[in-house]
Amino acid sequence: MKRRETVKPGNPEHAPLLSMSRLIYFAGSIRGGRDDVHLYQSLVQELRTYGTVLTEHVGDQGLSVQGEVSETGDKEIHDRDLDWLQQSHVVVAEVTVPSMGVGYELGRAVVMDKPVLCLFRPDCGRRLSAMIRGAKGPRFTVMDYRPDQIKTILDQFFSQTQIQT
Ligand SMILES: O=c1[nH]c(=O)n([C@H]2C[C@H](O)[C@@H](COP(=O)(O)O)O2)cc1CO
């Protein structure tokens, strides 16, 4: 019988196993505006190569600015998302379109001590909130980016950040 090996983060052969068990919380604007939904979709698609994305619906082009339809209302959405946030090993947020929900999720993620990557597109013509840019620290990364840099930035982030699974 083949002996069971311990999965080690430094071993490149173990990378696919590690990424399967890595849970990613992706945050992006919904009721704040869906202008960048195509970018959220690309990010979700790319993030799937690094783990399981718990919040794939954020990148769904069919989801409108009204948000999800829930029988028990917004409390169900809020409680489910906080559960996912708690379960997640890492948080990635696209923060270009200002969103109360994304800001709230990021604040909660900081309190939960999750590693966070925020992505901001400066060509939108707005300045990112100081409460996001100013939160920069060892566990909170803020990157200005262009859509064609997504792959490189995610690669860098996932290879350089300590993510506990
Ligand atoms: O229907 C929803 N489903 C949902 O998962 N969210 C969560 C995930 C998003 O990262 C974030 C978006 O917040 P907002 O809707 O305030 O832009 O909140 C938010 C809504 C609507 O507010």
Side-chain angles (χ1 to χ4, degrees):
M1 205 206 300
K2 210 177 163 206
R3 200 167 60 87
R4 238 172 200 261
E5 263 188 290
T6 312
V7 178
K8 295 194 188 97
N11 185 336
E13 281 177 27
H14 294 166
L17 283 173
L18 278 169
S19 70
M20 265 163 51
S21 59
R22 191 188 284 139
L23 301 179
I24 303 169
Y25 191 99
F26 175 71
S29 172
I30 297 179
R31 293 189 188 163
R34 297 294 278 162
D35 295 7
D36 279 355
V37 65
H38 56 287
L39 276 178
Y40 306 159
Q41 192 178 41
S42 314
L43 277 160
V44 166
Q45 213 163 335
E46 201 54 47
L47 284 169
R48 282 203 200 109
T49 62
Y50 296 93
T52 302
V53 182
L54 297 168
T55 50
E56 287 197 344
H57 63 285
V58 175
D60 180 350
Q61 306 236 24
L63 183 61
S64 81
V65 73
Q66 295 301 314
E68 294 172 88
V69 180
S70 148
E71 269 175 27
T72 47
D74 289 352
K75 179 156 177 54
E76 187 185 34
I77 295 169
H78 170 272
D79 293 356
R80 178 206 62 195
D81 283 1
L82 281 194
D83 261 6
W84 279 341
L85 194 58
Q86 186 70 65
Q87 283 174 47
S88 69
H89 300 114
V90 58
V91 176
V92 176
E94 214 295 351
V95 294
T96 307
V97 174
S99 151
M100 299 272 280
V102 174
Y104 174 80
E105 288 164 339
L106 289 172
R108 299 293 299 248
V110 169
V111 174
M112 292 177 194
D113 199 31
K114 306 286 177 187
V116 173
L117 170 65
C118 294
L119 296 168
F120 179 73
R121 206 165 35 75
D123 68 2
C124 70
R126 282 185 302 270
R127 281 186 79 184
L128 179 59
S129 165
M131 299 309 288
I132 302 299
R133 176 111 37 215
K136 228 172 177 174
R139 306 274 286 167
F140 197 100
T141 306
V142 181
M143 297 279 296
D144 289 333
Y145 82 109
R146 289 190 319 265
D148 63 307
Q149 295 173 318
I150 286 175
K151 264 181 203 281
T152 318
I153 287 174
L154 292 182
D155 232 23
Q156 245 175 30
F157 176 76
F158 279 97
S159 60
Q160 290 170 8
T161 307
Q162 192 130 28
I163 298 168
Q164 220 93 49
T165 50

